[in-house]
Amino acid sequence: MAIDATLPYDDQNIFAKILRGEIPNRTVYEDEWALAFHDINPQAPVHVLVIPKGAYVSWDDFSVSASEAEIAGFVRAVGAVARDLGLVAPGYRLLANVGQHGHQEVPHLHVHLFGGRPLGPMLAR
Ligand code: AMP
């Protein structure tokens, strides 16, 4: 079920629970600004989610409300994850779903990082 990305942040969402350590995750990277972990339902050989540590519903919310330091820290973390996973040379894809048309299901900003095989065209027609 896709979420309404204009709603206020819900601190009971599953990624908030992961950040608080209430639900386990398979962490691949963590720093002051971000946590990255394997997607529970991978769509590619590598499918990692990178989330900011701050409470932001979506890319839209983050781009409006996050501090310069949070934005820089998060963007740098996404790059670090891809490098750590050896994905720069073969290439990879980033995706951030926002709201209903974007089919965002979890109301905490997350960037999907896909790799490990040629990923084909961007969207199914
Ligand atoms: P989105 O549609 O962009 O909101 O994607 C949400 C993603 O979160 C999906 O790819 C799910 O498989 C993934 N997901 C949901 N719950 C968990 C969880 N507990 N641990 C890891 N990934 C999860």
Side-chain angles (χ1 to χ4, degrees):
M1 175 87 170
I3 62 116
D4 177 348
T6 66
L7 290 176
Y9 187 79
D10 171 11
D11 69 5
Q12 293 305 306
N13 79 75
I14 197 144
F15 294 168
K17 292 179 179 178
I18 285 175
L19 281 171
R20 290 194 296 266
E22 296 168 10
I23 289 179
N25 74 92
R26 291 173 56 218
T27 299
V28 298
Y29 178 92
E30 183 167 16
D31 66 17
E32 181 181 356
W33 306 108
L35 176 71
F37 51 89
H38 290 284
D39 195 290
I40 206 166
N41 183 24
Q43 308 292 312
V46 177
H47 184 176
V48 165
L49 303 173
V50 192
I51 68 175
K53 291 216 167 155
Y56 298 102
V57 174
S58 68
W59 186 273
D60 180 72
D61 183 21
F62 189 67
S63 69
V64 169
S65 301
S67 69
E68 309 292 306
E70 287 176 298
I71 291 171
F74 181 66
V75 171
R76 289 196 188 282
V78 173
V81 172
R83 283 191 298 280
D84 287 358
L85 293 172
L87 293 175
V88 178
Y92 61 95
R93 178 172 294 158
L94 301 177
L95 176 72
N97 294 319
V98 180
Q100 298 275 330
H101 282 191
H103 210 275
Q104 180 181 2
E105 293 185 323
V106 179
H108 181 113
L109 169 61
H110 47 286
V111 169
H112 296 258
L113 196 161
F114 301 103
R117 67 166 166 79
L119 294 165
M122 193 162 64
L123 292 175
R125 292 183 190 276

